[in-house]
């Protein structure tokens, strides 16, 4: 698989349920970021977790990072219809490289 | 909250024509980027720009592409002799400090359609 692969590719849940998305990557990273993209719109930065952090919270978002497994998860608790969007993980490679490397994304649908 | 502004939001151009996509990054940010997203595919890095010069570019960013910061606020991507496969959403992004654990701020994108 390529750097920044999310699974599942698509997830459909009922409003109020929790949604979990996973991301795997291959190279050493400086940090890992999660972004949301509403259909046809721009990317919105959600949360950043550093390589020396294991867990981070922001409102209803919880991100974990396991550098030994090169994986991360994004949990959205108490989902709302407005959370319907695509979610991407993006890794900032170690060593000062400039670019973010994005995954394919998870398409999340929250059913009312 | 500060925003990255991109214009136009949509651009339709004939194959072979030149297009200029414009971006106004956040004023105190120092690093600027262009990414693109072909419909249904990953967001791909094109180029990064710092201190008035390209700091890194991808294989996609060949001689057909160029970037410029003509003044203190605008950051442009020029695509010469557009091809059908250049049709994509182009995103500008900026960040305050590279590798500093700041997230990037992305613009809303320019949807480029080459016909």
């Amino acid at each position: 698989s390529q750097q920044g692969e999310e699974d599942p590719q698509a997830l459909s849940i009922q409003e109020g349920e929790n949604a979990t998305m996973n991301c795997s990557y291959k190279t050493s990273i400086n940090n890992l970021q999660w972004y949301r993209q509403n259909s046809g719109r721009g990317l919105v930065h959600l949360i950043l977790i550093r390589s020396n952090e294991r867990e981070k919270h922001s409102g209803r978002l919880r991100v974990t990072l396991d550098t030994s497994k090169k994986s991360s998860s994004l949990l959205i608790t108490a989902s709302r219809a407005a959370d319907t969007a695509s979610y991407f993980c993006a890794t900032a490679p170690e060593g000062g490289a400039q670019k973010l490397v994005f995954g394919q994304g998870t398409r999340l649908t929250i059913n009312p | 909250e500060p925003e990255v502004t991109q214009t136009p939001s949509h651009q339709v151009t004939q194959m072979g024509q030149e297009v200029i996509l414009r971006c106004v990054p956040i004023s105190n940010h120092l690093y600027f980027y262009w990414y693109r997203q072909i419909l249904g595919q990953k967001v791909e890095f094109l180029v990064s720009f710092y201190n008035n010069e390209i700091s890194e570019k991808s294989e996609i960013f060949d001689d057909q592409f160029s970037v410029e910061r003509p003044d203190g606020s605008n950051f442009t991507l020029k695509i010469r002799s557009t091809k059908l496969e250049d049709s994509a959403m182009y995103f500008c992004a900026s960040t305050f400090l590279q590798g500093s654990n700041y997230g990037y701020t992305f613009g809303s994108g320019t949807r480029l359609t080459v016909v």
Side-chain angles (χ1 to χ4, degrees), chain A residues 2-5 30-31 33 35 37 40-43 45 48 50 88 96-100 102-104, chain B residues 31 33 35 37 40-43 45 48 55-56 89 91 98-104 106-108 111:
Chain A
Q2 296 180 18
Q3 183 87 342
E5 291 291 318
N30 187 350
N31 63 67
Q33 306 176 30
Y35 288 83
Q37 184 182 37
R41 306 294 296 276
L43 295 156
H45 179 255
L48 180 153
R50 301 175 189 175
F88 296 89
Q98 303 279 321
K99 61 185 180 185
L100 288 180
F102 283 83
Q104 197 78 21
Chain B
Y31 294 83
Y33 307 86
Y35 287 78
Q37 184 181 33
Q41 297 188 24
K42 293 185 180 186
V43 177
F45 168 78
S48 59
S55 48
E56 187 175 355
M89 195 78 158
F91 293 105
Q98 173 62 36
S100 64
N101 297 308
Y102 284 81
Y104 291 55
F106 281 80
S108 296
R111 182 171 299 282

Side-chain angles (χ1 to χ4, degrees), chain A residues 1-15:
Chain A
S1 62
Q2 296 180 18
Q3 183 87 342
E5 291 291 318
E6 290 96 335
D7 79 88
Q9 291 189 356
L11 179 61
S12 181
I13 60 174
Q14 294 300 119
E15 195 167 21

